Amino acid sequence: MNTQVWYEQGNYEAVIDALEQNPDDNQLPILAFSYQKLKQWEKAMSCWNKLIAMDASNAEYYNERGVCKFNMRFKHAIQDFDQAILLEPENPYFYSCRAYIKDKTGDTEGSVADYAQSLALDPTDAIAMNNLGLAEQKLGHTAKARAQFKASDELLGIETIDSRYDTSPIPSHTKEKPRLLWREVKKMISSKSGFLQFWSEFRGKK
């Protein structure tokens, strides 16, 4: 049984079937991510709850549980993202995660502050720049927004787009070209401490 290979191949059903038949605490994270890929949020959250009970100091566990809570429309989902930042205050990805939540729950100014902090920690994150621009645009800060868009596009080596859709990879599956571009730019890599998993799971949010 090679659940990692199945997961990388996108065979999430096989991962779930294998691990549900042969429970293994060491495999709980990949089981939880597989549930999330299939939008089985409640089951995924149950895994993260168990993992947090086993290791309450793991920031990523709280962040991923926050993903589940947000998709299940729990009002207190933000608390898990707060806890992730409390545990790892130097992790730029956690600020980007919380920034998205703040923006979608009406706290656009808070979103701007978190995206700015994320970029202070990782100035090369093109998606954070783009999304900061989108948040600035919502607040009517057109010049600041355009500056962020330009910097983001320059990092990616693409022609600057002055007017764009909300290109965050979190909302529902869409065929809009700008969103597909950003999705391809941020493939799943381990160097971002789970950043891309966050965006991947949130793309199911409607």
Side-chain angles (χ1 to χ4, degrees), residues 23-88:
D24 180 351
D25 287 347
N26 293 325
Q27 296 278 347
L28 273 176
I30 196 170
L31 176 60
F33 282 128
S34 295
Y35 283 138
Q36 286 174 218
K37 287 291 187 179
L38 299 179
K39 303 185 183 67
Q40 296 181 26
W41 307 113
E42 189 170 356
K43 289 183 177 181
M45 188 171 72
S46 179
C47 292
W48 297 121
N49 285 338
K50 186 172 182 179
L51 284 162
I52 288 170
M54 295 165 58
D55 181 6
S57 65
N58 190 308
E60 187 173 6
Y61 294 166
Y62 288 98
N63 196 79
E64 295 303 328
R65 189 174 69 175
V67 171
C68 297
K69 288 181 177 180
F70 182 71
N71 279 280
M72 295 170 70
R73 294 173 172 80
F74 283 21
K75 292 182 179 180
H76 62 284
I78 192 74
Q79 294 174 5
D80 276 345
F81 297 100
D82 291 343
Q83 182 64 19
I85 288 173
L86 181 65
L87 290 168
E88 290 189 22

Side-chain angles (χ1 to χ4, degrees), residues 136-182:
E136 293 279 18
Q137 194 171 57
K138 286 184 180 180
L139 294 175
H141 303 159
T142 305
K144 289 182 179 180
R146 288 183 175 176
Q148 295 298 335
F149 294 153
K150 183 175 186 295
S152 173
D153 292 341
E154 286 176 350
L155 275 176
L156 296 173
I158 63 175
E159 184 177 352
T160 298
I161 304 170
D162 288 331
S163 178
R164 62 188 70 193
Y165 298 102
D166 181 347
T167 55
S168 332
I170 295 177
S172 58
H173 297 287
T174 173
K175 295 182 180 179
E176 291 173 13
K177 290 183 179 179
R179 296 186 184 183
L180 290 176
L181 169 62
W182 289 102

